[in-house]
Amino acid sequence: MPVAPSLVKIIFVFCIQHVSTTDVIDRKTDPSILEDAALNTFNLIRKYGYPCEIHHAVTHDGYVLEMHRIPYGRKNTTKDGRPVVFLQHGLLSSSAEWVLMSPEKGFAYLLADAGYDVWMGNARGNTYSRGHISLTTASSDYWKFSWHEIGYYDIPAMIDYTIYVTKVPKIQYIAFSQGTTVFWVMTSSKPEYNDKILAMHALAPIAYVGHMRSPLVKAIAPLTTGLHKIIQLLGPDEFLPNGKINELAGQRLCLEESYTQVLCKNLLFLICGFDTEQLNNTMLPVVLGHTPAGASTRQFVHFGQLYNSDKFTNFDHGWIVNKYTYGTFTPPAYNLSAIRTPIFLHYADNDWLSTPKDVDRLLHEVKTVVGKFKVPLQKFNHLDFVFANDAKSLLYDRIMSIMSGFL
C-alpha cells in the first residue's frame, strides 16, 4: 500500500525524538501476553472463563457482520431477564478492544459481571466482518464505503438482530470514537432507531472535528480535497489491514524488553495524544496484535473532509457525483435534531481526536444530551477510553451507575 513520504517522515522524526532509555524494561514478557495477542475475540473471552457466542447479521447491501456476545458473567451467572447492552468499537478496531484488558479492567467483562447481556458489534471490513453475499475483499467494490454506510446499514442490522434474539424492546448502546459517529448517522438518518435505544453513552464522541489536534490526521486532511489524489496516495481499498505487520509488531517490536517498543507507543500517541502513565506497557503486544483491524480508505477520507469543512456532513464524492447522489453539488449535513435518544457524553482534556471544543459543539446540536462528563485526569487521552490502567475507576464505574437508572 503506498504511503505518503511526508507522513512517513513525520512518524519517523517524531519517534526518534522521543526514544529514551527509560522506555526499556528489561524483564521477560509473560507468555500469556503473547497468547492474548494471537487469540481472536471469541477464544480470548473463553480463555478468561466467560461464555461467548458468535452471531452474524446481514445488512441490506449484502455485508455479513460478525458479533460477539457474552450472555452472562463469570461472577454473575444469572441468565434470564438480563438487560442488554450493545458495544461498538472505534476506527481501525474491532470487538476485541472491549476485552483486550484483564477481566478486572475490560469494559465488556465488567458489564457482564454487573448483570448485563453484552453484545459487541464489528463494522464491515474489519477482522471479523469481511464477508459479503456476492463480493470479496479482493474487489474494490467491496471497499467503496465510509463510516456513513456503517451507520446507515451495519449498526441498524446488528441492533435489529440483537433485539430479535434477546426479545427485549430496547437496549443500551455504548460506543467509542467512530462508534459514536455511526450512531449519529443512524439516529439522524433513520429516526425510528431512536425508539430502540434506552440510552447512549458516547466515549470520546466524534461528529465535529474542526479542532482535532492529531498531527497524522491533520497531515492527511488537506489531501482529501481531491478524492482521486488521496485514494491514489493511501490505496483505493483497505487502510492498514491487520496482517504480518501487526504480527511482527506484537511479537517482536512491542515487547517490554524490546528497544523498539517506544516506536509503538509514540505511533499511537502521534495519532491520539500522550499519556504514558495510563498506558500499560505489558499490554502493548496484545493491543498491537488486534489493532489495526482493518478499515476502508474512505473512512479516513470522510473524517478528513469533516476536518476541512468543519461540518458534519455526508461523504463528498465530488460535485458531479454529489448532484447525482444527493441532488445537490455539496454533501448534505446530518440532521442531528432528529436524534431523540437520551445521550451521555464522556470526554477528556487531552484527547487529540475528540476535543473539548468539538464535544461542546455536539452538545449544543444534539438536543437530547442529558449529561456531559469530563474524565477527571488531565492527561487522559483518546485510547485511554478503552486501554487505560484506571479506566474502571475514572470512567466505567460512573457509566454503569448511570446505566442502572435505565433498568
Side-chain angles (χ1 to χ4, degrees), residues 4-19:
S6 59
L7 299 185
V8 174
K9 183 177 181 181
I10 290 171
I11 295 171
F12 180 77
V13 171
F14 183 89
C15 292
I16 293 300
Q17 286 178 342
H18 286 79
V19 171

Side-chain angles (χ1 to χ4, degrees), residues 274-340:
F274 293 82
D275 183 9
T276 55
E277 296 174 8
Q278 286 297 313
L279 181 66
N280 187 330
N281 290 346
T282 303
M283 296 302 295
L284 265 179
V286 182
V287 173
L288 271 295
H290 292 266
T291 308
S296 75
T297 296
R298 288 172 184 253
Q299 288 170 249
F300 283 85
V301 171
H302 202 167
F303 278 123
Q305 291 174 351
L306 298 191
Y307 177 79
N308 290 333
S309 68
D310 197 21
K311 298 177 181 178
F312 185 49
T313 63
N314 281 254
F315 192 86
D316 188 350
H317 299 277
W319 68 271
I320 296 177
V321 179
N322 286 343
K323 183 64 175 177
Y324 175 79
T325 305
Y326 309 123
T328 56
F329 291 116
T330 57
Y334 292 103
N335 180 20
L336 295 179
S337 65
I339 298 175
R340 303 191 309 271

Side-chain angles (χ1 to χ4, degrees), residues 261-281:
Q261 191 195 59
V262 66
L263 302 183
C264 299
K265 290 195 294 184
N266 283 330
L267 181 56
L268 293 175
F269 290 158
L270 181 63
I271 299 172
C272 302
F274 293 82
D275 183 9
T276 55
E277 296 174 8
Q278 286 297 313
L279 181 66
N280 187 330
N281 290 346

Side-chain angles (χ1 to χ4, degrees), residues 155-168:
I155 305 303
M158 291 188 287
I159 286 176
D160 284 344
Y161 181 92
T162 299
I163 290 176
Y164 172 78
V165 172
T166 60
K167 296 179 172 58
V168 298

Side-chain angles (χ1 to χ4, degrees), residues 41-43 45-46 50-54 68-71 120:
T41 297
F42 176 83
N43 288 314
I45 293 170
R46 295 290 292 267
Y50 289 79
C52 186
E53 299 171 3
I54 297 175
H68 298 120
R69 180 192 189 187
I70 306 178
M120 294 167 282

Side-chain angles (χ1 to χ4, degrees), residues 180-309:
T180 72
T181 312
V182 296
F183 184 86
W184 317 134
V185 172
M186 177 185 70
T187 47
S188 64
S189 304
K190 297 185 173 184
E192 65 272 20
Y193 278 87
N194 286 281
D195 299 325
K196 301 183 181 186
I197 309 296
L198 281 168
M200 186 272 198
H201 283 275
L203 283 58
I206 292 183
Y208 298 105
V209 295
H211 295 89
M212 184 182 289
R213 291 182 287 157
S214 167
L216 188 58
V217 176
K218 290 172 74 172
I220 293 174
L223 305 175
T224 63
T225 54
L227 184 58
H228 179 69
K229 180 189 299 185
I230 188 65
I231 285 180
Q232 269 193 328
L233 189 65
L234 299 179
D237 302 328
E238 185 174 12
F239 185 89
L240 289 180
N242 193 349
K244 289 297 180 182
I245 189 170
N246 299 70
E247 184 179 327
L248 176 64
Q251 294 183 2
R252 297 183 182 179
L253 299 180
C254 298
L255 301 182
E256 277 198 291
E257 68 270 19
S258 172
Y259 282 88
T260 55
Q261 191 195 59
V262 66
L263 302 183
C264 299
K265 290 195 294 184
N266 283 330
L267 181 56
L268 293 175
F269 290 158
L270 181 63
I271 299 172
C272 302
F274 293 82
D275 183 9
T276 55
E277 296 174 8
Q278 286 297 313
L279 181 66
N280 187 330
N281 290 346
T282 303
M283 296 302 295
L284 265 179
V286 182
V287 173
L288 271 295
H290 292 266
T291 308
S296 75
T297 296
R298 288 172 184 253
Q299 288 170 249
F300 283 85
V301 171
H302 202 167
F303 278 123
Q305 291 174 351
L306 298 191
Y307 177 79
N308 290 333
S309 68

Side-chain angles (χ1 to χ4, degrees), residues 131-149:
H132 192 279
I133 59 174
S134 62
L135 300 173
T136 71
T137 54
S139 167
S140 289
D141 286 338
Y142 176 95
W143 295 103
K144 288 182 179 178
F145 63 84
S146 76
W147 42 258
H148 170 83
E149 285 75 16

